[in-house]
Amino acid sequence: EKEEDNVKCCVPACKPLATMLRGVVLSSHAEALMTLCTMYTLYVPDLYFLSTASTRGDQALFCCTLVVFSLFTIDLVLRCVLTSGYFFFFFSLDLIAVISLIPDVVFCISGKDLLYVMRDLYL
């Protein structure tokens, strides 16, 4: 069965684009990138908060968190649209991952000094 037959698309003219995007989303490179994003989300902020790093790295941490949040959101949307059978177990895990990053992203955008609050909580 051809790859194009597995892609559901409302507009027939978009089927080649949908097939290409599905190939990208399901590629080993995309999987590796999302695995790295997961490792970042699980460990880097906590290690940064526990470290004695100065606040000079705060903006870099916030930018990386925003990029990871964006990648998780794009991956979630593309998989919802392009992958049949995704709305079960893996969808719920990806949705939880995106939701768990929302507080971090809100603090990044608002400019509040979350790191001082978190460091006080950890100590």
Side-chain angles (χ1 to χ4, degrees):
E1 189 172 322
K2 292 176 21 180
E3 175 91 14
E4 285 188 21
D5 295 337
N6 292 332
V7 176
K8 307 271 189 267
C9 190
C10 301
V11 181
C14 292
K15 196 164 187 173
L17 176 64
T19 302
M20 187 268 307
L21 284 175
R22 185 173 188 268
V24 169
V25 168
L26 298 178
S27 72
S28 60
H29 296 297
E31 293 293 330
L33 177 65
M34 296 315 295
T35 300
L36 287 174
C37 287
T38 301
M39 293 298 125
Y40 171 87
T41 302
L42 290 174
Y43 299 113
V44 171
D46 292 331
L47 291 174
Y48 184 77
F49 293 143
L50 291 173
S51 74
T52 57
S54 67
T55 58
R56 292 186 315 185
D58 293 356
Q59 291 302 319
L61 181 75
F62 288 158
C63 288
C64 290
T65 301
L66 190 58
V67 168
V68 167
F69 174 77
S70 300
L71 288 172
F72 272 130
T73 304
I74 290 168
D75 184 62
L76 179 73
V77 170
L78 287 177
R79 285 180 186 266
C80 286
V81 172
L82 300 172
T83 307
S84 60
Y86 177 67
F87 284 102
F88 296 108
F89 181 70
F90 292 109
F91 172 76
S92 60
L93 289 179
D94 289 345
L95 186 62
I96 290 169
V98 169
I99 290 171
S100 71
L101 284 173
I102 289 174
D104 296 336
V105 171
V106 168
F107 278 107
C108 292
I109 294 171
S110 70
K112 303 243 185 209
D113 217 351
L114 173 66
L115 294 180
Y116 290 119
V117 174
M118 293 303 291
R119 285 186 180 140
D120 290 342
L121 291 174
Y122 279 118
L123 298 176

